[in-house]
Amino acid sequence: WYPWSPAGAEPLTAVEQLDQYTFDGGIVYRLGGLRSGLVPFVSAGAGYQRQRHEGETLIEGGGLFYAGGGVTHWLTVRKQGAVKALGVRGDARLYFFSGGITPDDTRTQAAFAGSFVMVF
């Protein structure tokens, strides 16, 4: 109960849109080299985030870094030719964000992805 609200007033939830863009780069270290079958890897990187409030009334930036890992399943591996290997990859990352519009000092976010991999 708030003294300035009318008696019996319903709670109100404000909803607005916040867009976030991230730009990052990192390294991947394969644990087992380029060989057929499942090959685990670890990854880490850093980057920049930009958050834009609905209507572009507020735009803020901040930093990020991540750590993660996963597996690559090489479908073909060759010693000659333009394409050395083809495969599929699954990975998970844990991102740590700082700065931006939100009031927290550091925020974390998990990300999961699958991709097609080609080695030249």
Side-chain angles (χ1 to χ4, degrees):
W1 180 81
Y2 296 101
W4 59 87
S5 66
E10 294 294 320
L12 175 67
T13 303
V15 178
E16 53 190 313
Q17 183 174 332
L18 177 68
D19 295 324
Q20 177 172 300
Y21 304 93
T22 60
F23 307 93
D24 63 51
I27 59 170
V28 174
Y29 180 73
R30 287 190 297 258
L31 307 169
L34 190 57
R35 58 177 170 77
S36 296
L38 284 176
V39 178
F41 64 87
V42 293
S43 63
Y48 175 75
Q49 69 162 329
R50 188 156 180 97
Q51 292 178 320
R52 187 178 68 186
H53 187 271
E54 186 174 1
E56 296 188 18
T57 56
L58 179 61
I59 298 175
E60 290 287 332
L64 69 93
F65 69 93
Y66 69 86
V71 293
T72 303
H73 179 67
W74 295 111
L75 303 171
T76 62
V77 177
R78 301 185 294 186
K79 293 186 183 216
Q80 296 181 5
V83 177
K84 304 288 187 225
L86 295 172
V88 291
R89 171 176 141 164
D91 69 290
R93 292 181 180 177
L94 185 58
Y95 282 89
F96 301 92
F97 296 96
S98 63
I101 293 174
T102 56
D104 298 344
D105 289 338
T106 302
R107 299 167 315 285
T108 58
Q109 177 178 330
F112 305 94
S115 57
F116 177 74
V117 181
M118 187 180 303
V119 176
F120 295 97

